[in-house]
Amino acid sequence: RNCIFNLISFGDKFELLFPASVAYDANSFQRACAAVALMEADMGGTELLEPLRVAINQPVSANLPRQLIVITDGGVSNSDQCI
C-alpha cells in the first residue's frame, strides 16, 4: 500500500526529518526510528502553530489521505491560535 510520511519535531523552533514527505519503506522507517530514539524535550516551549502550518501546506498526494498526528510532552503555548 502506498504511504508517505514525515516527522516534525517542535518547541520554540521546529525541524523536519525529511525536506518533504517520503515513501514509507524499510530505510525511511529506520531513519524515523533512529530520529525518534534521539528526541528529547529540549527545544524550548511547546509552540505548535508554525509546524502545523508547514505540515498543512505540504503538497497533497493524489489518492492518499492527509493525517496529522501530534504528540507532545506538554501544554501547547499557542493552542488558541492553532484552533
Side-chain angles (χ1 to χ4, degrees), residues 4-72:
I4 61 173
F5 77 104
N6 206 344
L7 294 177
I8 304 174
S9 54
F10 63 94
D12 289 340
K13 59 184 191 256
F14 65 93
E15 299 172 357
L16 284 80
L17 178 60
F18 306 107
S21 293
V22 297
Y24 172 84
D25 60 21
N27 182 51
S28 61
F29 177 71
Q30 189 68 359
R31 286 187 62 190
C33 287
V36 169
L38 294 174
M39 283 184 182
E40 295 187 22
D42 63 353
M43 294 183 79
T46 309
E47 297 178 21
L48 183 57
L49 184 59
E50 287 307 311
L52 276 179
R53 284 184 176 150
V54 167
I56 290 169
N57 287 314
Q58 294 295 307
V60 177
S61 294
N63 302 319
L64 294 176
R66 177 178 302 208
Q67 298 178 355
L68 299 177
I69 300 169
V70 177
I71 301 172
T72 178

